[in-house]
Amino acid sequence: MRNFTTVNDIGNLQDAVKEALEVKANRFAYKHLGENKTLLMIFFNSSLRTRLSTQKAALNLGMNVIVLDVNQGAWKLETERGVIMDGDKPEHLLEAVPVMGSYCDVIGVRAFARFESKADDYEEKIINQFIQYSGRPVFSMEAATRHPLQSFADLITIEEHKTVARPKVVLTWAPHPKALPQAVPNSFAEWMNATDYEFVITHPKGYELAPEFVGNARVEYDQDKALEGADFVYAKNWSAYADPNYGKVLSTDRAWTITTEKMALTNNAFFMHCLPVRRNMIVSDDVIESPRSLVIPEAANREISAQVVLKRILEGLQ
Ligand code: CP
């Protein structure tokens, strides 16, 4: 594997899950792979899980790790070519990226949608500049349109907990006070569409995701109907994708919050969320604390998804 930014980079999903479960059973078996190799993790945005789990995965593989928070202590970076740099950004990404590449063997990048330009966000302008100019393998630690390490961990978690071959998985929008990117739901949909699960997306009108991510999923605007018979409920907020409302909050309707009453409509479903989660906006205290909540094992599997991706990248460097 050279770069990892979408489900297409991981190949056969069954093989990937099998490898993940092997890695999980023996995390230090590949410690030799990362010897004298350095991972540089670059964060344009905050993180708890991605930062810790990816660093732990790299350490499991024997790598050295450097972490850079671009907005804390580094020069502010200009990202647009042609800009007269007489403002508050003293360094251009076009110099910074190859310099960063010269200090490491592999680069992880977190760069969320900025909601300044839908075209720039959906062209993945930032992470693609790292792929183009760093000279190193690059993997996404959540980019503008996708969060594949999260989706891979979600898939591993579903495979570990499913009790039928083809579970019903429901991705439901839930309310949130601030505008959040579409990366997690886009990515989750992309990965679920690559399985043979029954996959349903539910959200209020106006929150339609980009058609390339919806794929063959069934879209059901009635949340109660969508939840009927669900084996897994994956809750997430996202802002509007469609023009002219791109990046806007259209509703904070708490009738969409996942509660015990909502979960009673399901087939005793497991509850999932990528975290961080706003309690009693997205999900009630009772649901997230219930024995059917998978949020902690799901987060723990972030170490495993990162380790499989790093292992494959390192194998490509041998
Ligand atoms: N789920 C996730 O990516 O968490 P962080 O934003 O804390 O990394």
Side-chain angles (χ1 to χ4, degrees):
M1 180 189 286
R2 176 72 186 174
N3 302 308
F4 176 72
T5 61
T6 84
V7 70
N8 299 323
D9 297 319
I10 200 80
N12 181 286
L13 286 190
Q14 282 177 349
D15 291 348
V17 170
K18 187 165 170 273
E19 190 173 335
L21 298 178
E22 284 165 10
V23 161
K24 191 167 181 173
N26 197 353
R27 289 167 209 233
F28 305 108
Y30 299 94
K31 214 167 170 62
H32 59 283
L33 277 179
E35 192 181 4
N36 298 328
K37 294 279 191 293
T38 298
L39 167 65
L40 172 57
M41 297 165 62
I42 298 167
F43 289 92
F44 287 83
N45 311 95
S46 304
S47 167
L48 187 153
R49 278 143 291 274
T50 304
R51 179 183 299 258
L52 296 179
S53 62
T54 310
Q55 187 160 352
K56 178 64 165 59
L59 295 173
N60 293 349
L61 289 164
M63 299 185 84
N64 304 310
V65 182
I66 311 172
V67 182
L68 177 68
D69 290 296
V70 171
N71 297 321
Q72 288 169 22
W75 302 114
K76 270 194 174 179
L77 293 177
E78 177 56 61
T79 57
E80 300 304 310
R81 198 168 171 280
V83 166
I84 297 169
M85 289 173 57
D86 59 355
D88 66 341
K89 295 174 181 164
E91 178 147 30
H92 203 289
L93 205 64
L94 289 172
E95 285 78 55
V97 167
V99 168
M100 292 181 206
S102 74
Y103 302 141
C104 65
D105 301 280
V106 182
I107 300 181
V109 179
R110 165 162 284 202
F112 290 175
R114 294 184 289 183
F115 294 141
E116 290 166 6
S117 154
K118 182 174 176 177
D120 284 358
D121 289 342
Y122 272 71
E123 283 165 20
E124 292 287 7
K125 237 179 162 174
I126 303 290
I127 197 165
N128 280 336
Q129 291 196 58
F130 278 89
I131 290 170
Q132 198 171 350
Y133 300 116
S134 71
R136 301 294 177 208
V138 172
F139 65 96
S140 168
M141 299 195 299
E142 185 170 345
T145 64
R146 294 174 176 87
H147 193 358
L149 285 177
Q150 180 64 53
S151 308
F152 186 14
D154 298 334
L155 175 67
I156 296 164
T157 310
I158 292 173
E159 284 293 306
E160 286 177 321
H161 290 86
K162 74 180 190 185
T163 54
V164 291
R166 191 169 176 268
K168 178 176 176 181
V169 178
V170 178
L171 167 63
T172 178
W173 179 93
H176 191 279
K178 294 190 172 165
L180 298 185
Q182 297 101 32
V184 169
N186 282 347
S187 203
F188 186 72
E190 189 170 63
W191 284 66
M192 290 300 103
N193 279 321
T195 70
D196 62 356
Y197 302 161
E198 180 184 352
F199 180 48
V200 179
I201 304 175
T202 184
H203 55 73
K205 289 214 164 128
Y207 279 101
E208 290 76 11
L209 294 168
E212 66 264 33
F213 292 105
V214 175
N216 294 325
R218 179 163 73 82
V219 176
E220 170 57 67
Y221 292 105
D222 182 333
Q223 188 193 41
D224 288 359
K225 218 185 228 181
L227 293 173
E228 275 171 21
D231 298 299
F232 294 86
V233 174
Y234 195 101
K236 185 71 184 83
N237 174 267
W238 62 90
S239 60
Y241 166 76
D243 293 325
N245 293 321
Y246 177 66
K248 290 190 181 150
V249 174
L250 306 179
S251 166
T252 52
D253 183 358
R254 288 185 54 227
W256 283 76
T257 301
I258 297 298
T259 59
T260 303
E261 292 71 33
K262 294 278 181 184
M263 292 300 281
L265 300 168
T266 70
N267 181 30
N268 194 24
F270 287 105
F271 174 80
M272 299 179 75
H273 188 281
C274 62
L275 304 181
V277 70
R278 287 182 184 247
R279 284 177 174 227
N280 304 308
M281 285 294 295
I282 302 280
V283 59
S284 70
D285 289 324
D286 290 345
V287 171
I288 198 166
E289 291 170 6
S290 82
R292 303 302 280 177
S293 170
L294 293 180
V295 295
I296 306 303
E298 188 182 351
N301 276 335
R302 290 292 308 276
E303 177 185 339
I304 308 306
S305 63
Q307 193 166 333
V308 171
V309 167
L310 279 171
K311 172 177 169 285
R312 288 187 179 193
I313 289 174
L314 289 170
E315 284 166 347
L317 293 177
Q318 300 301 306

